[in-house]
Structures are given as C-alpha cells and as structure tokens.
Amino acid sequence: MEKQERNHPNRQVIAFFFVLLWDKVLTMPTRYSVLEETESGSFVAHLAKDLGLKSGDLTARSARVVSDYDKQQLILDPETGDLLLREKLDREELCASVDPCVLHFQVFLEKPVQFFQGELLIQDINDHSPEFPDREMLLKIPENSKPGTLLPLNLAQDLDVGSNGLQEYTVNPNSHFHVLTRNNSEGKKYPELVQDRALDREEQAELSLTLTALDGGSPPRSGTAMVRILILDINDNAPEFVKTPYEVQVLESSPPDSPVLTVLAQDADAGNFGRVSYGLFQASDEVQQTFSINEITGEIRLKKGLDFEKIKSYHVKIEATDGGGLSGKGAVLIEVVDVNDNAPELTISSLTSSVPENAPATVVAIFRIRDRDSGENGKIICSIPDTLPFILKPSNKNFYTLVTEGPLDRESRAEYNITITVSDMGTPRLTTQHTITVQVSDVNDNAPAFTQSSYTLFVEENNSPALHIGTISATDSDSGSNAHITYSLLPTHDPQLDVFSLISINADNGQLFALRALDYEVLQTFEFLVAATDQGSPALSSQALVRVLVLDANDNAPFVLYPLQNASAPFTELLPRAAEPGYLVTKVVAVDRDSGQNAWLSFQLLKATEPGLFSVWAHNGEVRTSRLLSERDAPKHRLLLLVKDNGDPPRSASVTLHMLVVDGFSQPYLSLPEVARDSMQDNEDLLTLYLVIALASVSSVFLLSVLLFVGVRLCRRANAASLGGCSVPEGHFPGHLVDISGTGTLSQSYQYEVCLTGDSGTGEFKFLKPMVSNLLLQDAGREVKESPHCRDSFVFN
C-alpha cells in the first residue's frame, strides 16, 4: 500500500511530461518531401489522413493551402484529401544554393477557423553540370617559382547541392602540375594547382592544361576549362590591398551605375611589375550581374538595382594583379540597407459576399497581410473604419478574420463597402487599401404595413357586378419574396353578413370589387377586414378595416300610404258645405324608401272637378278648401294629385281623391240634383252611400262622447265661455318635408285637431279619422301640444 502511494506522484510527473511532449508534436509542422522536376499534379501526401480528418470534412470546412510565396506550388483536392503539385518545382530557382530546400505552407480550415503548418522538402536531382565562368583561364607564373607552389584557380559553379553538387577537380596528366580540391570560407570547393617541379621559361614558356570539374551524381556530370600558364620573368612582389576586408553600406534604392566604393592595392615593384590592375575574383553569377570594378581605378559600381528583400548582403572577393602576374586578394562586405519601398500586401483567402441580417458574429472574410521590408519598415497595422458594424480579429501568422460586430439590419442598410487599410511603420508610410462589398441578405422580419389603418369606400347602389370600388395598399420593407404581398378577405363575426358574396379582392394588387348590385334600402353600410400577407418563411401579415358606405340612388318612386290606391272601391272624403276657406279636407300621406333629397316629397294638384275650389300644400300634402262652397258647386268632386320626390331625375306617383259635399256633418246622405248617370256612376254612388252611413254612425257615437267631455270643461270655464272662440287657423301650417328613416316609418306626427266653436254657428265637430293608424301611431311618444289658435282644442299625436 505504501509502495503504491510512493509511485503515485511519479505517474503524475510522467503524465505531465507526456502532455507537454504531445503539445509540441501537435504544434510542430508536418514535413513532406518531393523530388524536383516532378510533373504537375503529382501526389505529395494524403493530407486529410495526416490531419485526422475525413475527406468530406475538407470540403465542408472549405480547406485551403496557402504559402508566403508569390506562386502557389501546391493544391489541395478537397474530394480525396490529397495534396498535389500545381506545377513542376525547380529547386535551384526556388532555393538557389540553400540546402535543404524547404517550402513552408499553411492549411487553414473554416467553420471553425483552424490552421495547420506544413513543410515541403524539395530533394535535389542531378540536373545541372558544373560550369566554369570562363572557358579559358590565363595563369602567369614566374620562372623562379618553386615546386610545391600553390596556385588557386577560379572555381566552377554547380547549381545542384549535396551529393549532386561539385565534388572534385582533375587536370589532364602532365609533368609540371597536379590539382587539389579545396574548400573556401563559404564551403565551396575550388581548384588549386600544385607545382610539381621547377619551371624553365627558356625550355617551355607556356603550358596548356585541361581542368575538369566533377559532381557526385550518378552518373556524374562534368565541366571543363582551359588553363593557359605563361612562365614569366621574376617578379618578387605581389600587390597588397591597403585594407581588407572593406565594409560598406548601400541603400537598396540606389540606382544602377551608382558608385559603391573604391579599393586600392599597392605593389613595391617598379615599372610594369608595379602597375596594378583590379578585378573580381571567384565571383558568383549574382555578384557579376550586380557589381562591376574598374580595372585601373578600382572603383566598384552597381550594375543593377538592389533588393533587400532578396539579398541582404554581398561578400565580394577582389583581386589586384601587377604587371608581372603576381596578384593579391581582398574582400569587400557590402551590406544592403533596407528602404521602405514595399507597400503592404493583402491577400484574400476566403470571402463571403452576402451576410444574412440578424445573424450574430458572422465571418465575412479571412485574409493575410505581409510587408517584404524589414525592421520598422516591415511592421504593419491593419484597420477598418470605426463607423461600420464590423471588427477585425487577428489570427495565426498575420491572418485576420473580418466578422460582424452584431446582427445587421437590411432595412437600415443593405450594402456595406468595407475598406481594409494596411499601413507599415516606415518613413514615409506606405499604405494598401482593399475594399470588400458585403450585401446584407434579407430575413423576413417585417410584417406588411397598410398605408391606412382603415379605409372608407363609397359605392352607389344598383352598381354593376364586378365593379371596382377601391384599392387598398400595403408595403413591406423587406425584399424579394419576403416583400411580395398577397391580399385576402377575412371572415366577419356577423353571421348575417356574408362578405365573400358581396366583395372580392385581387390578391396581387389589393383592388376591391363588388360581386353583385347593392341595395341601399337593404344594406346601407358594412365593414370587413382585409389581410396583407408576405411570402416569407414564416409568413407575416397585418390587417386593415374596410368600411363600405352604399350611396342612395333615386330608384324608388313615392308610395302613397293614405288614401290607399289599391282598394277595391275608391275612398270618399266628406266635405261639409259650410266649410270655411282653408278647411282641412284630408291629408295625403306618402313615403319614399330612398333617403336624403331623394326622399324629399312635394305635392301638386294636377286636376280637379272645380278648379280653384281646393288647394294642396306642397310640403305636407294637406288638401284644403280655397273658398266657401256655393249651391252651384257640384256635390261630388274628383281630385288628381301628383306626389314627386327631389331626386335626379325625379320620380313621382299620382293619387286620386273623391270628395262628397254634405249639408251637415251628421247628415250621412245628401240628395243630389238629378243628373244623368251611367251604370258605373250608380255603382259608385251606392258604395258612397254605404260608406256615408257607416261613417255617420261611428261619428255620432264618437261625437256624443266628445260633446260630453267638452261640455264638462266648458262648465268649468263658464266665466270665460263668452270670450272663448274657435276657428280654424288661417294660412298655411309650417311646412315640413315628409321624410322617412331607415326603417320606412314617418319622421313627423300626423296631427288631428278637435275644436268646438263657441259662437252661434253650426256647432260642428270636425274630426278626420286616419285610415292607417298603425303606421301613424309609431311616434306615440310625442307630447300633446296645445294649439295656439284654439285654446279649447285637443291635439292627438
């Protein structure tokens, strides 16, 4: 038990180190290798398997391969997850003499954003032969040179590296020299001739040797150069540079042919042996293409522009040779000074051109920035305008993610132009701008809105079916199908109103149509709801109230309520022969089902048996006597009246009144003068006789009751009996137009006056019995008014 407790801390330590080691393994880049000059499209690695992903995951997560090079050498097949070559790779073009040649790349995944580092090792093949800069080299050697003297020669250049690079030098067999292969300070192999025996200029003044450079490829490649050796007279002092190495700084912005510096070498010899000439020694192709040296003055100048981002320094070997062939070696260290001549670069790796509104923290773009300068010139900052609802999030190795700061509203702004500004810290500052256009896609978050909360439409009755009566309109601030509005009718809560049988609506434009003719007398107004629904998902809708007012048309002629015109026998009014002028004989009661001025009625006397005897009040239809009756007036009268409304065009109805003149109110029948009659006239007279007898009987009973009641009242006012009088009011009564309400009932009461005269006249009791008491008694609530013209009268409403 104690042993287990002692081992427990050890297991924790081992687990801790295992976690640390595993973290390093995850963060270390994965390396792959490929031979140079491999065909494009060749397989490099199964990247999905190495990343622990399925092949479909790469497509779903928008996997991409990017690198810091101007050209992308690799492509990723998202279907298979294979990493393939985009083009043939030339190791010498990509890495020159750098060994190993490694290309760095990154694999980044979206949803979520994730980065993986990778390296591609380009293996060299023996595709280049060693080459000497000069096909012929001239070597001057004093004749007093001793055996064992070492003579360095110009080295050959082999663009391959490693075992495929330059390995050794050979010279054709001869008795004076052999060659050794040496390594210089930069690790490059160069040939060095070794003198085997003393030279005799008089015996042989010139030697020609073939120098061969061999690489280590299989099979090996080689290059040759001719070495001419001139044997000179004795020159015992070689030139020497006054300073070595020279060090100088040159701005990378220096133009071609700019001076770099001037070197100086001295020779203690005199004459031709003391005259010094300058040249480059063992210079690479890059050095020879970039610099030149004046053979006489030793001035070094630029042959082309410098680029700090490609080469930061040069190590130039120089040689000073005197007239006797002796030479001295020197070196110049040229340091290229960086100038802020490269603007920052921005490369879009992923871009989403449309972002849905109301979506929080949406990734819009992923991009990479870099600056080829160094130091302060290479430090860069990235920004976007503060007024935009977007933010920048830095990611791995100069990668940035542009995301929305919060939900967007398309109705407020449908498009954003985001300018990404990248600036370096150099002097002067260089800036690069890139504008991204982001469209905000619509979400159905706005319901349709009617232009009015309620609509009032006017329709004249008797309209034609399918008549366009009005248009409702709604707008939707969304776009596309979310803003496409359809209109519909909603059922009403009134079970007696079937709005679908009355109204139809155009679902596309909101136009309302009356399906059938409307009748004002049946339906004056009705209301219903309409809905506007968009086609979003889910659909949103709103409602508006529509009120339809039916306008009256003059489509109803006046209808005579009294006297009835459809009776089997004409109704005859009794007229006392002693009636005073202005005596109310009868009143024509008529109604009109229309309303407004279409129901304003006027009465007109068209024809009478005795013109001038009767008059009709135009506004209330009262028929009154215009003068006293005489013995010469006919006992029977026939009046033709016209009842006309005030519509346009006006409508009318005619009514025929029959008048019978009697000598007394209680006299049911008055013998008429003998006149010639026809059979029809006899029938009418017989019917009139029956009517007079019936009316006289009823009137007598009623007269007795009224006389008793009036007598009681007169007894109470005995003192004022002699002063009391009664007369029929003279002149026309106040004219009131007869109108009807929506139910067709009379709007005014029909008044009857009972008046007992107090003078010595006939003492008649005048009473007009209405024929249609049911209609005229609907206003029974009206108060009883006292006539201003007859104090002792009764007014029945």
Side-chain angles (χ1 to χ4, degrees):
M1 185 68 179
E2 295 178 355
K3 186 176 180 181
Q4 292 178 356
E5 291 177 354
R6 289 194 300 269
N7 292 336
H8 184 69
N10 294 334
R11 290 198 298 269
Q12 290 181 342
V13 173
I14 293 174
F16 175 75
F17 282 108
F18 179 79
V19 171
L20 292 180
L21 181 60
W22 180 250
D23 183 67
K24 289 183 175 293
V25 170
L26 289 176
T27 56
M28 289 179 60
T30 305
R31 174 170 289 190
Y32 305 97
S33 62
V34 66
L35 292 176
E36 69 169 330
E37 302 300 331
T38 302
E39 294 294 328
S40 61
S42 298
F43 174 83
V44 176
H46 190 60
L47 190 60
K49 179 179 180 182
D50 294 342
L51 298 179
L53 301 173
K54 298 179 181 179
S55 299
D57 294 343
L58 297 180
T59 303
R61 298 183 64 183
S62 301
R64 288 181 174 79
V65 176
V66 296
S67 65
D68 293 335
Y69 302 93
D70 294 332
K71 294 183 178 180
Q72 299 295 325
Q73 291 84 13
L74 300 174
I75 57 174
L76 177 63
D77 188 345
E79 300 296 330
T80 62
D82 294 338
L83 186 64
L84 308 175
L85 288 178
R86 182 185 293 273
E87 60 184 5
K88 283 186 178 182
L89 300 180
D90 188 350
R91 192 205 65 81
E92 289 73 24
E93 179 182 354
L94 294 173
C95 299
S97 61
V98 178
D99 189 30
C101 180
V102 178
L103 298 182
H104 298 274
F105 65 92
Q106 297 87 33
V107 179
F108 73 87
L109 309 173
E110 299 180 14
K111 304 172 185 176
V113 177
Q114 191 174 6
F115 293 85
F116 297 92
Q117 303 293 328
E119 295 178 353
L120 179 63
L121 175 63
I122 302 177
Q123 297 177 352
D124 184 51
I125 62 174
N126 191 22
D127 57 342
H128 293 87
S129 299
E131 293 182 4
F132 289 93
D134 299 313
R135 302 295 296 175
E136 180 176 309
M137 291 182 282
L138 179 62
L139 192 61
K140 298 178 181 180
I141 303 175
E143 63 178 346
N144 60 346
S145 176
K146 296 180 180 180
T149 300
L150 301 177
L151 302 173
L153 301 176
N154 284 334
L155 55 79
Q157 299 283 346
D158 192 341
L159 298 180
D160 296 324
V161 296
S163 60
N164 295 324
L166 181 63
Q167 297 296 323
E168 64 175 351
Y169 297 89
T170 61
V171 70
N172 61 306
N174 65 90
S175 59
H176 292 87
F177 298 93
H178 71 277
V179 67
L180 297 178
T181 302
R182 304 282 190 182
N183 292 326
N184 60 15
S185 59
E186 297 179 2
K188 295 183 179 180
K189 299 181 182 301
Y190 69 94
E192 195 172 53
L193 281 178
V194 181
Q195 185 176 342
D196 292 332
R197 67 187 183 94
L199 302 175
D200 187 359
R201 182 180 181 279
E202 286 72 21
E203 178 182 350
Q204 189 174 2
E206 181 177 342
L207 296 174
S208 293
L209 303 177
T210 301
L211 180 63
T212 303
L214 297 171
D215 62 19
S218 179
R221 290 174 174 265
S222 62
T224 60
M226 181 66 66
V227 180
R228 291 179 56 208
I229 302 175
L230 298 180
I231 302 173
L232 305 175
D233 287 338
I234 297 175
N235 178 24
D236 55 353
N237 289 288
E240 293 182 2
F241 286 96
V242 297
K243 181 181 179 181
T244 186
Y246 288 91
E247 295 181 359
V248 66
Q249 291 183 338
V250 182
L251 295 176
E252 67 168 326
S253 59
S254 300
D257 202 36
S258 298
V260 177
L261 84 162
T262 300
V263 298
L264 178 62
Q266 297 177 346
D267 194 313
D269 294 326
N272 186 48
F273 292 139
R275 186 179 299 112
V276 178
S277 62
Y278 302 93
L280 300 177
F281 179 70
Q282 294 183 353
S284 64
D285 292 339
E286 182 65 29
V287 171
Q288 292 181 11
Q289 294 172 6
T290 307
F291 302 99
S292 65
I293 188 171
N294 191 297
E295 294 183 354
I296 300 174
T297 62
E299 182 183 41
I300 299 177
R301 286 181 172 269
L302 289 176
K303 295 176 66 176
K304 67 175 185 177
L306 302 177
D307 191 351
F308 174 84
E309 287 68 42
K310 291 184 177 180
I311 301 177
K312 296 177 175 56
S313 63
Y314 294 88
H315 184 80
V316 180
K317 292 183 178 181
I318 55 177
E319 179 182 40
T321 305
D322 62 16
L326 297 180
S327 61
K329 306 299 187 290
V332 179
L333 297 179
I334 301 174
E335 180 182 355
V336 181
V337 179
D338 184 37
V339 174
N340 193 24
D341 58 344
N342 290 282
E345 300 175 3
L346 187 148
T347 304
I348 300 293
S349 301
S350 175
L351 176 62
T352 301
S353 59
S354 180
V355 177
E357 63 175 335
N358 299 335
T362 303
V363 177
V364 177
I366 299 175
F367 59 92
R368 176 173 54 91
I369 60 174
R370 68 172 180 176
D371 195 313
R372 297 180 184 271
D373 296 320
S374 63
E376 291 296 321
N377 297 330
K379 293 181 180 179
I380 49 180
I381 56 175
C382 184
S383 65
I384 59 174
D386 296 334
T387 57
L388 299 179
F390 298 88
I391 56 176
L392 287 175
K393 291 185 178 180
S395 301
N396 183 39
K397 199 175 181 181
N398 288 340
F399 275 88
Y400 282 83
T401 303
L402 178 65
V403 298
T404 57
E405 189 175 14
L408 304 178
D409 186 6
R410 190 204 66 83
E411 289 70 38
S412 299
R413 189 169 179 179
E415 180 181 283
Y416 290 89
N417 291 320
I418 307 170
T419 300
I420 303 174
T421 303
V422 185
S423 302
D424 59 26
M425 303 299 292
T427 303
R429 287 194 174 188
L430 299 180
T431 300
T432 297
Q433 291 185 335
H434 186 84
T435 300
I436 296 175
T437 300
V438 178
Q439 303 287 341
V440 182
S441 59
D442 185 49
V443 174
N444 192 26
D445 57 348
N446 290 278
F450 282 95
T451 56
Q452 300 174 215
S453 60
S454 63
Y455 296 83
T456 301
L457 306 178
F458 297 92
V459 184
E460 189 170 354
E461 67 172 331
N462 304 322
N463 58 283
S464 60
L467 175 68
H468 176 230
I469 63 174
T471 302
I472 62 172
S473 177
T475 59
D476 196 315
S477 54
D478 294 321
S479 65
S481 61
N482 295 331
H484 186 75
I485 299 175
T486 56
Y487 301 91
S488 61
L489 298 177
L490 297 180
T492 61
H493 298 293
D494 187 359
Q496 297 181 356
L497 178 62
D498 185 10
V499 68
F500 298 100
S501 66
L502 298 176
I503 301 296
S504 69
I505 189 169
N506 190 312
D508 296 326
N509 55 25
Q511 291 183 346
L512 293 171
F513 299 90
L515 294 179
R516 58 184 177 85
L518 301 178
D519 189 355
Y520 174 84
E521 288 70 38
V522 176
L523 183 64
Q524 288 82 29
T525 180
F526 60 94
E527 296 178 350
F528 56 91
L529 292 176
V530 293
T533 306
D534 59 28
Q535 294 187 359
S537 180
L540 300 178
S541 64
S542 61
Q543 299 177 1
L545 178 67
V546 178
R547 181 180 295 106
V548 178
L549 300 180
V550 182
L551 301 179
D552 182 47
N554 193 26
D555 58 342
N556 291 281
F559 177 76
V560 179
L561 296 177
Y562 179 83
L564 294 176
Q565 298 298 296
N566 57 354
S568 59
F571 183 78
T572 302
E573 297 286 348
L574 298 180
L575 175 63
R577 186 176 296 277
E580 297 290 334
Y583 175 78
L584 177 62
V585 179
T586 187
K587 181 174 183 176
V588 178
V589 180
V591 295
D592 195 314
R593 295 184 63 193
D594 296 320
S595 65
Q597 66 178 10
N598 296 328
W600 296 351
L601 302 180
S602 60
F603 301 84
Q604 181 181 355
L605 181 60
L606 293 181
K607 186 177 181 182
T609 304
E610 291 289 340
L613 179 58
F614 299 97
S615 64
V616 178
W617 285 20
H619 299 302
N620 57 13
E622 293 181 352
V623 180
R624 295 180 180 271
T625 58
S626 299
R627 59 178 175 82
L628 291 173
L629 279 78
S630 63
E631 294 296 333
R632 292 178 300 176
D633 292 328
K636 295 182 63 176
H637 297 270
R638 182 174 179 272
L639 304 182
L640 179 62
L641 276 71
L642 179 69
V643 183
K644 182 172 64 175
D645 60 25
N646 198 37
D648 183 20
R651 292 178 176 267
S652 61
S654 62
V655 56
T656 301
L657 298 178
H658 294 272
M659 302 291 182
L660 179 63
V661 180
V662 295
D663 291 332
F665 189 84
S666 59
Q667 183 178 349
Y669 176 74
L670 179 65
S671 59
L672 299 177
E674 292 296 330
V675 293
R677 302 181 183 182
D678 55 12
S679 60
M680 292 296 296
Q681 186 67 33
D682 293 338
N683 293 334
E684 292 180 1
D685 293 343
L686 182 61
L687 180 61
T688 301
L689 177 62
Y690 294 154
L691 181 62
V692 170
I693 294 173
L695 181 60
S697 301
V698 175
S699 300
S700 299
V701 176
F702 182 72
L703 177 62
L704 180 61
S705 300
V706 172
L707 288 176
L708 291 176
F709 179 75
V710 173
V712 173
R713 293 199 53 163
L714 291 178
C715 291
R716 293 179 182 178
R717 300 184 181 183
N719 296 331
S722 59
L723 300 176
C726 182
S727 62
V728 177
E730 296 182 359
H732 294 286
F733 289 104
H736 299 286
L737 294 174
V738 179
D739 197 358
I740 64 171
S741 63
T743 59
T745 59
L746 291 172
S747 62
Q748 298 189 80
S749 63
Y750 185 42
Q751 298 183 351
Y752 303 89
E753 290 191 358
V754 177
C755 181
L756 183 63
T757 61
D759 54 8
S760 59
T762 59
E764 293 178 346
F765 179 74
K766 305 173 185 178
F767 177 74
L768 178 63
K769 181 179 180 181
M771 296 293 293
V772 284
S773 59
N774 291 337
L775 293 175
L776 298 179
L777 292 178
Q778 289 189 9
D779 287 341
R782 296 200 177 193
E783 59 180 342
V784 178
K785 298 182 181 179
E786 183 177 353
S787 173
H789 299 284
C790 184
R791 234 178 131 77
D792 300 324
S793 65
F794 299 91
V795 181
F796 295 88
N797 288 340

